[in-house]
Amino acid sequence: MATEGTILTAADLAGNGVHGDDPDVHGKFGIFGGRYVPEALIPALDEVAAVYEKAKNDPEFVREFDHLLRTYAGRPTTLTDVPRFSEHAGGARIVLKREDLTHTGAHKINNVLGQALLTKRLGKKRVIAETGAGQHGVATATAAALLGLECVIYMGAVDCERQALNVARMKLLGATVVPVTNGSQTLKDAINEAFRDWVTNVDSTHYLFGTVAGPHPFPEIVRDFARIIGVEARRQMLDLAGKLPDAVCAAVGGGSNAIGVFHAFIGDEGVQLHGYEAAGHGLESGEHALTLTAGSVGVLHGSRTYVLQDDEGQTIESHSISAGLDYPGVGPEHAWLKDSGRATYHGITDDEAMAAFSLLARTEGIIPAIESSHALAGALKLGRELGPEATILVNLSGRGDKDMGTAMKYFNL
Amino acid sequence: MTTLQTVFAKAKADNRAALVGYLPAGFPSKDGAVAAAAALVEAGCDVIEIGLPYSDPLMDGPTIQDAVHRSLSNGTRIADVLRTVEGVAATGAATLVMTYWNPIDKYGADRFARDLANAGGVGTITPDLTPEESGPWRTASADAGIDTVFLVAPSSTEERIKAVVECCTGFVYAASLMGVTGARESVNVAAEGLVERIRAHTDLPVCVGLGVGTGAQAAEVAAYADGVIVGSAFIRRILDAPDGAAGRASISVLARDMAQGVRR
């Protein structure tokens, strides 16, 4: 149990091993994960792994992280029953985990606060990060401002345009935003560019990776820092409903919010885990981000996982109306959860997501991020499958203010 | 087919370093790549690395990214890479493929090793394949009789250097600096120390790459390394040339300068 006034214990943070699902010494989840990176980065990755291993077992680190989560990020976030929305899910009870209420408006703040504290322990003064929707960039710029770190954000030029508001926020927070103009000019290219910066400036710089993908130890570290979402939600569900939910739903791009909410439930056999990827214009259109549901096993950004790739291993550009899900790879632990059958992954089209986006706004007065709307759309379908007795927990990973430009265009507002 | 062992033995006998040139397949065109590589060999390159163009080249700087992007836009496939190797190997140079891991992984390690050997290729350089993940590729390469070259970096600890060189055959690739590919004003002074550290763990030849772009720099590196690797400087000249013939003429001039450099 957490001591009074705290929300996080060392066991919560290092929940690894509890369910026997820790990666091995090489960062492998089964056949997935590992490290496929230039040798030049190995010492830095080893250093991050060693410093993290020490930090997570250090009560002082856990205290500092807990303090920031409570007094800065605004945790714990509440659960919200959404009965009017639930009417459209065949009457199943849908409950939202309100990560949209955190400071900066998305779950990304959890990971960046943890990694910013880690950066201090690494003795580094500069952080770099990639961003898709801009949420991880904003969160990183926020944590960098808070802890006095220099901050450079790599963002695809296409994403800079569709998330102009977030670019302005990052600049206001003192970060330098570098638009990436090569390749598809989206998240994957921003990651390439961030790796190039890191290999050049690794002595001074921590790569504050934003999702549960990438080389070991990032999938494990980011998961542990996002884990608080599920840890809280599990306790709160027991308080609210007196039982665990029948299913947990989350959107999956790189997969950090999904792992964050799933992880505390992995050992609960009766709880189904459902991840929703962006089906974009539909599988047949070829314009989607269905990495787990339609991709194949390969290596991208330093990790073995499911990848959208052609028959010769060239990455295929993904598509989604939501920049945060527009990524042709996915975290290796999701690949492992998929193959082991513990979690199930589905596609939600742009249109289905936008319908859920609008529905939640009109029925509950909550404007969700378009990313999170994929999980909401999934929950509507799942509720009709599971029936009115079912309780479904949905991770509302972020708020939709950043998506107003897209919504105005889509709905002709 | 000229092997790496032959190349380095000959260079040693001549009391000089070997010159290694890099060009991506399919750049400036499918046939143009073979012609450009032939021009490099004619001008004095002993070894040619043919780059397998990949969509996410995270170790490459802007010059190679640009060339690779053009190559992929030209529709370059692995069959084209193998045909390029065949054409270049026919010039008498020892010919390697430099590639990120995923294309081999997808193609099939055994199949790629076999097809490369059949095309006359003598080995691969795989910049993102770590010793921990290299097992299947080393087995496939050994079965096909081709060499496996891996990279060591200035940041590598003694333990890592040992682990990497144990996976290498043919030669060891020493990255001269912490960074991506691309010509630099000067070659990092740390490179010499790194070569020394590598030699403490292996008798294999050690070649230095990253940031070498002039004959003078080639001479400087040749003083302590067994081979000098040049890529971006050639590609820059091809990119800046008005046509293929002008590009070949331009890289010939540079390659000659470098070939003299490694003999100083």
Side-chain angles (χ1 to χ4, degrees), chain A residues 36 182-193 195-196 299-302 307-309 313-317 327-328, chain B residues 52-60 65 68-69 72 100-103 128:
Chain A
Y36 295 83
N182 36 28
S184 61
Q185 309 190 14
T186 60
L187 181 57
K188 90 173 172 72
D189 307 285
I191 293 176
N192 291 339
E193 209 54 33
F195 269 113
R196 292 179 188 121
V299 170
L300 180 65
H301 294 140
V307 180
L308 289 180
Q309 57 183 336
Q314 307 287 350
T315 310
I316 295 173
E317 289 174 15
Y327 180 54
Chain B
L52 192 158
Y54 175 53
S55 53
D56 294 273
L58 61 77
M59 226 199 99
D60 286 304
Q65 283 178 47
V68 160
H69 180 71
L72 287 173
Y100 292 88
W101 176 242
N102 198 47
D128 63 344

Side-chain angles (χ1 to χ4, degrees), chain A residues 391-407:
Chain A
T391 304
I392 299 172
L393 175 69
V394 177
N395 192 19
L396 196 72
S397 53
R399 68 180 183 221
D401 306 43
K402 69 180 174 60
D403 294 317
M404 282 305 109
T406 306

Side-chain angles (χ1 to χ4, degrees), chain B residues 200-231:
Chain B
H201 296 279
T202 181
D203 294 329
L204 284 173
V206 182
C207 299
V208 171
L210 298 195
V212 185
T214 68
Q217 288 174 341
E220 188 187 321
V221 172
Y224 56 83
D226 302 301
V228 180
I229 304 171
V230 184

Side-chain angles (χ1 to χ4, degrees), chain A residues 41-83:
Chain A
L41 288 177
I42 296 290
L45 292 169
D46 280 345
E47 186 189 17
V48 172
V51 170
Y52 174 63
E53 193 59 32
K54 209 171 149 196
K56 77 176 179 186
N57 294 306
D58 177 354
E60 183 52 33
F61 181 84
V62 177
R63 249 195 311 277
E64 281 175 60
F65 187 37
D66 174 83
H67 180 76
L68 286 182
L69 289 178
R70 282 185 294 113
T71 65
Y72 190 74
R75 304 206 72 90
T77 59
T78 189
L79 290 187
T80 301
D81 254 314
V82 285

Side-chain angles (χ1 to χ4, degrees), chain A residues 351-362:
Chain A
D351 289 343
E352 289 171 322
M354 292 311 285
F357 174 91
S358 159
L359 183 65
L360 189 72
R362 285 165 179 257

Side-chain angles (χ1 to χ4, degrees), chain A residues 63-147:
Chain A
R63 249 195 311 277
E64 281 175 60
F65 187 37
D66 174 83
H67 180 76
L68 286 182
L69 289 178
R70 282 185 294 113
T71 65
Y72 190 74
R75 304 206 72 90
T77 59
T78 189
L79 290 187
T80 301
D81 254 314
V82 285
R84 281 173 33 80
F85 182 79
S86 297
E87 285 172 18
H88 299 263
R93 181 183 185 182
I94 295 179
V95 179
L96 306 181
K97 177 61 174 166
R98 299 292 305 278
E99 292 301 295
D100 61 318
L101 296 178
T102 54
H103 177 47
T104 72
H107 75 101
K108 294 284 189 190
I109 193 74
N110 306 311
N111 168 45
V112 301
L113 288 175
Q115 282 202 60
L117 287 175
L118 212 55
T119 305
K120 288 276 196 186
R121 293 203 163 208
L122 285 159
K124 294 185 174 175
K125 307 252 184 286
R126 177 175 181 264
V127 289
I128 55 171
E130 81 295 343
T131 196
Q135 291 307 101
H136 177 57
V138 168
T140 303
T142 299
L146 176 69
L147 296 177

